[in-house]
Each structure stands twice: as structure tokens, then as C-alpha cells.
Amino acid sequence: KKKGHALISNERLTQSVTESLPYSLTNAQVRSFEEIKKDMAEPLAMMRLLQGDVGSGKTVVALLSMLVAVENGRQAAILAPTEILARQHFESLSEMLEGTNVNIAILTGRDKGKSRAKLLEELATGVIDILVGTHAIFQADVEYKNLCMAVIDEQHRFGVEQRMSLSAKGEEGLSMDILAMTATPIPRTLTLTVYGDMDVSRLDEKPPG
């Protein structure tokens, strides 16, 4: 019910990336992305959980969702629980973004000194479209130009306070769209209990092979 950004996809980037993938999206990926797009187009904050086994293609859906924000001239971020996972995301997302003019960067606790200062400046001025990282991405001195969408990977590894610290990085007075991801299969009744504030999209099929 919180006021958020109405982000409507013009499909410029989402279509370009989808077409350049060496495979077709599964029906479950298409369905889940449509559910996310519908949420993002509403002037209310999205709180959606994307649930799917390892290998079901959550990362692609997360990227397409972040690109909806970028298509609207805004920034998006993806939060991972460990540096290894953050680097894996950065590599696979960079690969999928090849051939686009989308600027993606990574920030972890290991980044220090001049390189960190340069990255923070690019983030604050909007040069960086998508930021990948660990909890380092919502530290006090990290300022975004217009962050309005965040993906939280392995959502159960983060507490409510951490989620709120990230949300606070968005624009004043408006709540951020949040897409949480988990590979943990959760029965529907338990989902409603644990994630009562979230809508759920499920990737219930895997790509061929």
C-alpha cells in the first residue's frame, strides 16, 4: 500500500536482451516477468518473492525486472549475501548485457580507496545504472542518484533492518520496488505466514536440458 514509482516498460532494453539470449525463456519465466511488470507499473511499491530451484532462471527474470527501472531512467541494485555470489551475479549479468549501453558495477566490502570513491561518484551522478553487491551497497556513505528498484537474493539471509536500510536509499517519500529471490521451496501456506507482505511468483519449470 506504500506509494512507489509507476514504472512502465518501453521494452527497448528488455526486448533487446531477451532476443540476444542464446535460449528462449520458459513459460514460467515469461509469466513471472509479466507479473513483476504489472506490479512495477502500479504507483505502489512492489513487494514480490520470486521462488525457483537453482537452474530455473531467476537471474534472467531479475535482470529483466531491473531493466524496466533503467528504461525509465532510474537505477536498480541487486543485493547478494556473500561476495562470491555477488561476483557470480556481476559476471553473468555483464554477459547478458553485452551489446547494450547499460552500465553495471559491483561494490563489496573489499573495495577501498580511489576505486571506491570513483564508483560512489558515478553512482551518485547516475552513470551507473545497475549496482551489484553485498551489504556494502547500503552503507551510510553510498548515495544513489535515483534508485527505485532492488533485487534481494537469498532473501532469508537478510533481516528486516537490512531491507529497510536498502529501501531508505530510494527517493524521498517514495518506497522502492523490491523483488526478493529464494531457491528454498516453500509450501503456499507457509509462504503466506512467513512472507505475508509479499506476492509470490514461482518458476515451476526448468529450461530444456
Side-chain angles (χ1 to χ4, degrees), residues 60-80:
V60 181
V61 177
L63 174 61
L64 295 175
S65 308
M66 290 190 286
L67 288 177
V68 172
V70 180
E71 285 171 344
N72 281 268
R74 306 296 172 97
Q75 292 169 307
I78 178 163
L79 173 63

Side-chain angles (χ1 to χ4, degrees), residues 6-18 33 37 40 63-76 97 100-102 129-130 146 148-149:
L7 302 168
I8 295 164
S9 171
N10 59 23
E11 299 191 357
R12 182 176 62 85
L13 293 168
T14 50
Q15 206 165 351
S16 157
V17 167
T18 307
F33 181 45
K37 266 202 303 194
M40 292 180 77
L63 174 61
L64 295 175
S65 308
M66 290 190 286
L67 288 177
V68 172
V70 180
E71 285 171 344
N72 281 268
R74 306 296 172 97
Q75 292 169 307
L97 287 169
T100 69
N101 56 358
V102 177
D129 300 305
I130 295 176
N146 52 16
C148 68
M149 199 272 173

Side-chain angles (χ1 to χ4, degrees), residues 34-45:
E34 286 301 324
E35 289 168 352
I36 292 161
K37 266 202 303 194
K38 197 172 166 212
D39 275 4
M40 292 180 77
E42 297 283 335
L44 300 168

Side-chain angles (χ1 to χ4, degrees), residues 37 43 67 73 76 81 91 109 123 130 150 159 168 184 189 200 207:
K37 266 202 303 194
L67 288 177
E91 280 166 25
L123 201 58
I130 295 176
T184 313
T189 44
V200 182

Side-chain angles (χ1 to χ4, degrees), residues 179-201:
L179 177 68
M181 302 198 295
T182 182
T184 313
I186 310 161
R188 184 177 150 70
T189 44
L190 195 58
T191 306
L192 295 172
T193 313
V194 181
Y195 302 111
D197 58 342
M198 291 181 150
D199 298 302
V200 182
S201 291

Side-chain angles (χ1 to χ4, degrees), residues 87-100:
R87 293 202 179 280
Q88 280 175 355
H89 277 318
F90 178 66
E91 280 166 25
S92 60
L93 294 172
S94 300
E95 208 174 297
M96 287 188 259
L97 287 169
E98 263 176 34
T100 69

